[in-house]
Amino acid sequence: MAQIAGSPEATDFRSDVLVPGGLLVWERDRFDRVTASLDLDPATICALHCADRSLIVEVPLARDDGSMTVLTGYRVQHSSALGPAKGGTRFRPGVHLDDVTALARLMTWKTALHGLPFGGAKGGVDCDPATFSSRELREITRLYTLGILPIIGSEVDVPAPDVGTGEQTMAWMAHTAAEAGRSEPGIVTGKPVLLGGSLFRTASTGVGVAHVTQRAWEHLGGTLVRSRVVVEGFGAVGYWAAVELQQRDARLVGLSDVTGAITADRGLDPVAVREWIDAGNKLVDYPAADTVRGSVLALDCDIAIPAAIEGTLSGALANTMSATLVVEGANGPTTPTAEAILQPRGIAVVPDLVANGGGVISSYFEWAQNHQRESWPEAKERRQVLDRLDRTWEILAVRPHEAWRDHALRTAIARVAEALSLTGELPANPSPQQRTVTT
Ligand code: NAD
């Protein structure tokens, strides 16, 4: 447990250690801070924050050894104000209704910020995928999908992959829905290409993270060529971010996953590291690198990319890290204590809402292609995803970096509030032009 000497929140452990449900507290604090600067009436603020619907399902699994275990799954639809709810599905130990709720809200703000015709949702099952056989994982997915099927649909709520799930999980989800008579194109996104997935979806989040990293770094006066980058998390997001950054001539000096962290001053080749892991080895044992004790984010570098899970960038790290730019590949990696330390240290943070938006933008294009029974070339989708990220980046670029997180959130919340007013669900609030905004 990190206590930060001299930090304004030194005794507030709540904000620096992620306990189950803690993400909900962080999210609420940020929401309150931002809505206080928007001229919204209390009814609108309340409606903006409430989730439309939360479902808990039991997943009774017959194990391969003949025993029975009952897992718990969740699906939270936060908002459909701008379109069908949209959000990932995570299989992870400790998945909890409160965290899923916070992540569903984050999705609402993310889709709104990037101008997508979607709302926000999130789902998950409290389980450790590494401890189940492929048959068991398919059965968990099947039972979870049947449980949430009454509330999902391509025009209602569209799940996607997240931590611990991938295109195989999405194939199983779509198949389960079809077998139950719900053969809807675009009922989930992140599917294998052969089953209607888009060619760019797998790489989209990580490539988008790398693209936004370049935009932000150049905006701050740097050049990506030979800049020293570390990436925490070597899954769907971290791997593709590392590959794309290397292709853009950055030097990848540190990488980590749950097995540990590695470093190489001359640079790491993420493709070679992936091959090493795919051959059944641990990242931490990669031979052409040194092992790092502690967080990879603490290494000597210019740019740090937490792309693993929420809450990894703690106040203790924020006090000592050398990076001058943090790009949030993961959702919610920076603790509030860390945030309060990074700002006065002049370390810029590109918030998750902006940085990892490439994934949901690509999901939107997959969904649109499914509706049109089309399949775009990868280059077309890549270009369109990066164009949209550029448009969102421009929203931040006109502000000082200290205001990036709040400005992104404020822009998104204002859009959702306006949608609620336009549909007559809530009394009209002042238009965005009329609103008094304090930064
Ligand atoms: P993933 O399951 O594919 O990969 C997660 C990686 O993080 C794994 O390599 C794991 O070993 C590593 N990891 C876990 N805990 C760690 C820790 N404490 N320190 C270092 N490494 C750790 O998950 P993902 O899909 O890559 O998602 C990563 C993050 O990005 C999550 O916060 C997720 O919500 C967010 N995200 C994912 C997508 C997407 O398209 N997959 C889109 C937007 C946001």
Side-chain angles (χ1 to χ4, degrees), residues 86-424:
K86 185 88 191 78
T89 306
R90 58 172 57 178
F91 286 1
R92 186 161 192 263
V95 162
H96 184 281
L97 180 64
D98 287 352
D99 296 329
V100 174
T101 304
L103 291 163
R105 290 200 181 105
L106 197 69
M107 285 307 299
T108 299
W109 315 136
K110 198 181 296 181
T111 54
L113 179 68
H114 293 284
L116 303 175
F118 284 138
K122 201 80 176 188
V125 178
D126 179 2
C127 69
D128 183 355
T131 62
F132 294 104
S133 69
S134 175
R135 185 207 66 83
E136 289 171 332
L137 282 173
R138 182 174 182 275
E139 188 62 0
I140 292 168
T141 307
R142 195 181 72 80
L143 293 169
Y144 170 69
T145 306
L146 288 173
I148 65 167
L149 199 54
I151 65 161
I152 64 167
S154 72
E155 301 301 331
V156 188
D157 176 6
V158 185
D162 193 71
V163 177
T165 61
E167 61 175 36
Q168 176 62 81
T169 325
M170 295 303 111
W172 290 334
M173 286 186 84
H175 181 68
T176 303
E179 278 197 327
R182 299 277 306 282
S183 185
E184 299 165 27
I187 192 165
V188 295
T189 58
K191 301 178 289 293
V193 172
L194 194 61
L195 300 179
S198 80
L199 288 160
F200 186 55
R201 177 62 187 85
T202 307
S204 59
T205 312
V207 171
V209 168
H211 186 72
V212 172
T213 300
Q214 181 163 9
R215 286 282 177 270
W217 190 237
E218 288 174 356
H219 177 82
L220 296 171
T223 165
L224 213 50
V225 179
R226 286 191 293 281
S227 60
R228 295 167 62 85
V229 183
V230 298
V231 176
E232 176 187 67
F234 200 55
V237 180
Y239 171 70
W240 286 106
V243 168
E244 183 71 16
L245 283 162
Q246 199 200 34
Q247 281 171 6
R248 296 183 185 213
D249 293 324
R251 196 191 310 169
L252 191 65
V253 293
L255 269 181
S256 72
D257 72 0
V258 276
T259 69
I262 53 173
T263 183
D265 207 51
R266 70 197 168 285
L268 290 157
D269 175 0
V271 176
V273 177
R274 178 84 267 157
E275 283 168 4
W276 168 257
I277 294 171
D278 288 348
N281 303 298
K282 290 181 179 171
L283 174 140
V284 73
D285 296 330
Y286 185 65
D290 296 322
T291 306
V292 177
R293 299 181 71 176
S295 171
V296 76
L297 302 175
L299 285 173
D300 176 27
C301 64
D302 301 307
I303 302 167
I305 304 186
I309 199 73
E310 53 270 16
T312 59
L313 205 174
S314 66
L317 272 172
N319 264 322
T320 55
M321 65 194 298
S322 64
T324 48
L325 174 66
V326 172
V327 182
E328 294 187 333
N331 287 317
T334 311
T335 72
T337 302
E339 214 178 321
I341 294 165
L342 292 173
Q343 279 212 358
R345 287 196 63 209
I347 301 173
V349 180
V350 182
D352 45 10
L353 285 187
V354 178
N356 66 32
V360 73
I361 297 172
S362 176
S363 274
Y364 163 60
F365 289 132
E366 177 179 330
W367 180 82
Q369 287 169 65
N370 291 159
H371 277 72
Q372 294 159 359
R373 302 292 201 276
E374 269 193 30
S375 177
W376 294 356
E378 184 176 355
K380 173 178 171 175
E381 187 177 323
R382 180 186 160 103
R383 195 172 56 247
Q384 298 226 18
V385 169
L386 300 186
D387 280 355
R388 279 206 182 234
L389 281 173
D390 280 341
R391 271 187 263 161
T392 305
W393 165 251
E394 291 307 320
I395 297 173
L396 289 203
V398 295
R399 299 284 168 139
H401 72 76
E402 294 82 357
W404 285 351
R405 187 186 300 283
D406 283 6
H407 187 56
L409 188 54
R410 185 183 302 112
T411 305
I413 290 175
R415 286 181 180 170
V416 179
E418 192 162 13
L420 290 173
S421 295
L422 287 169
T423 54

